[in-house]
Amino acid sequence: MKNWIRLPNSEGNCIPAKDGSSGQKLYQREVGRSGFRGPSAQIYHRHPPAGWVTFEGPLRPRAFTLGKLSAGPACPLQARRVLFNDEMELRYWKTETKMHALARNADGDMLLFVHEGEGALFCDYGHLPFRDGDYILLPRGTSWRIEPHGTCEFMMIEATGDAFGLPDPNTVPGGVSVDPMRFTLPQIDDAFRAQQDDAFWEIHIKRRGAISTLTYPYNPLDAAGWEGDLCVVKLNWRDLAQRSASGQNVPPAAHCTFVAKSLSVSTFVPKVGEGKSGMLRVPFYHSNEDVDEFVFYHRGEFFSRGEIKAGMATFHPSGFPHGPHPCSYQEKMIEVPIETEEVAVMIDSMSFLNVDETIPAGAEWKAYVKTWEKAEETL
Ligand SMILES: [Fe+2]
């Protein structure tokens, strides 16, 4: 933990924290270090922090419709790559067919988020049914396959050379957000035993990005039992504690669900609207200076992004503030708390993230960078 230089201070006109009233219309921007776990400051601007007129150069916000990516391939380890650096990979996989080979990732833990569909996962530890909204954490080296019931879509996050764990409760504002007792484990049940056969089975192994294949004259998912404290685990966003935060904005770090060395995965779940009467009810502007941010929108119409629908994703690299769209101000500056219904998964990376530029042009919304224009006039 860095020994930060922290000198609490207040200068000039700040919005009173308790009643939200202010004689002057101001725009709050939170500036934070170390993923908002380090020093932070609230700056109250006279103009929208994202009220830029032009945006030139390689640094820019981007948006993608991942649901437009084509289905396949058969092996999830080779699914369409969206983001990468030396410490993570994010892939998107759409499939509707039963896997006829096993997958094993020797490059790191894999976290699957089920965006669409349901089905059965079979792995070294047994049988695990899944549905939309599930996280499935596959420890590095686990052999697995799925049998989807219809079309399934997965966002797959690899902690390259690393493992996922839970956030340190001392760094989560408001306490622990993930209850380990909510995790579901695979079972050695009739369905698992029924798939054990003597056919030829392949295991596709990813190591250093390359695929190798082992072939067995039987199904290697042949466990009769197991014991220990290492296992595939499953958690649905519906099992995460809802945060009814009427009266206070909830800092992004409060939503952290899984962490690895240089990245965190956070889940935004439905909650009562934040803030009090007269205050902004959409997420405030923020500058997360040490982090590149990727958000995948799973359900609902995300309230800070008027044109962002389920199945889309946004990428906000460090270097400029981001926050609500103008339309969000118009629609959401309301006087009574509302129940949101949006669910999103956010990946924060402390290392520079690369977008895989082979993503088909049709899956990117190029005009996204222009969507903050005229932010002030619409207020
Ligand atoms: Fe953000």
Side-chain angles (χ1 to χ4, degrees):
M1 180 74 80
K2 188 183 294 291
N3 186 16
W4 293 98
I5 301 168
R6 306 181 90 145
L7 300 170
N9 192 29
S10 178
E11 278 289 330
N13 183 17
C14 300
I15 295 175
K18 288 191 175 173
D19 64 8
S21 63
S22 172
Q24 189 178 3
K25 187 183 293 177
L26 297 173
Y27 298 82
Q28 179 184 359
R29 176 169 69 105
E30 181 170 12
V31 183
R33 302 300 306 275
S34 195
F36 292 111
R37 292 173 182 79
S40 66
Q42 309 295 328
I43 302 176
Y44 301 97
H45 294 274
R46 291 174 48 236
H47 300 287
W52 49 74
V53 179
T54 61
F55 212 120
E56 297 175 5
L59 187 70
R60 61 182 52 217
R62 300 175 68 170
F64 305 92
T65 305
L66 300 184
K68 283 188 176 177
L69 298 173
S70 55
C75 177
L77 301 174
Q78 297 174 295
R80 157 65 63 187
R81 191 175 67 172
V82 178
L83 287 177
F84 66 98
N85 61 27
D86 289 342
E87 289 157 355
M88 72 91 72
E89 269 189 1
L90 185 144
R91 295 174 183 265
Y92 199 79
W93 187 44
K94 189 187 299 184
T95 185
E96 58 182 17
T97 54
K98 171 181 173 178
M99 285 171 65
H100 294 286
L102 308 179
R104 175 188 292 168
N105 194 346
D107 281 336
D109 277 14
M110 280 180 77
L111 185 63
L112 271 54
F113 180 76
V114 184
H115 172 53
E116 285 283 356
E118 59 181 354
L121 176 123
F122 296 95
C123 65
D124 288 322
Y125 303 93
H127 166 225
L128 185 65
F130 66 81
R131 63 163 293 187
D132 67 283
D134 279 339
Y135 287 106
I136 303 170
L137 177 48
L138 300 158
R140 186 178 188 168
T142 302
S143 298
W144 61 278
R145 67 183 182 87
I146 64 157
E147 292 187 8
H149 305 155
T151 300
C152 289
E153 294 184 35
F154 301 89
M155 181 171 67
M156 308 193 301
I157 309 154
E158 174 190 289
T160 308
D162 200 7
F164 282 107
L166 297 178
D168 179 349
N170 296 320
T171 66
V172 179
V176 180
S177 60
V178 182
D179 178 359
M181 298 304 291
R182 294 284 192 160
F183 284 111
T184 306
L185 277 58
Q187 292 185 310
I188 306 286
D189 57 12
D190 289 343
F192 186 66
R193 284 184 283 269
Q195 54 92 55
Q196 296 174 342
D197 60 25
D198 291 329
F200 279 84
W201 280 87
E202 293 180 350
I203 304 181
H204 296 168
I205 305 165
K206 185 166 87 71
R207 177 68 176 167
R208 303 183 73 178
I211 303 293
S212 302
T213 302
L214 288 179
T215 303
Y216 289 78
Y218 52 84
N219 186 346
L221 299 185
D222 63 351
W226 65 272
E227 55 188 359
D229 60 3
L230 172 66
C231 186
V232 169
V233 295
K234 182 182 80 170
L235 179 76
N236 195 284
W237 67 260
R238 297 169 181 86
D239 299 320
L240 294 168
Q242 287 204 352
R243 292 179 175 275
S244 298
S246 57
Q248 282 193 333
N249 284 314
V250 179
H255 303 277
C256 189
T257 314
F258 300 99
V259 293
K261 186 169 53 190
S262 68
L263 73 150
S264 64
V265 178
S266 302
T267 317
F268 296 98
V269 299
K271 58 187 179 301
V272 174
E274 298 172 1
K276 279 189 174 178
S277 177
M279 285 190 75
L280 186 64
R281 296 196 185 286
V282 292
F284 42 85
Y285 290 104
H286 51 282
S287 301
N288 200 353
E289 305 293 9
D290 295 314
V291 164
D292 283 353
E293 174 194 291
F294 183 85
V295 179
F296 177 71
Y297 302 88
H298 169 57
R299 202 181 87 157
E301 188 169 303
F302 215 72
F303 65 163
S304 67
R305 302 271 182 275
E307 291 153 299
I308 296 291
K309 314 289 185 194
M312 296 181 74
T314 56
F315 176 57
H316 288 264
S318 172
F320 58 90
H322 60 275
H325 274 177
C327 62
S328 300
Y329 280 101
Q330 288 184 313
E331 294 169 5
K332 304 301 182 186
M333 286 293 281
I334 55 177
E335 296 300 316
V336 294
I338 55 166
E339 181 81 26
T340 63
E341 58 177 21
E342 295 83 6
V343 179
V345 177
M346 177 174 76
I347 293 102
D348 278 348
S349 171
M350 303 285 279
S351 299
F352 303 116
L353 279 174
N354 305 296
V355 172
D356 190 322
E357 300 297 347
T358 66
I359 292 175
E364 179 165 7
W365 178 23
K366 296 278 190 186
Y368 181 60
V369 68
K370 298 181 181 298
T371 52
W372 281 272
E373 288 180 1
K374 299 180 181 175
E376 196 162 21
E377 290 90 322
T378 56
L379 261 175

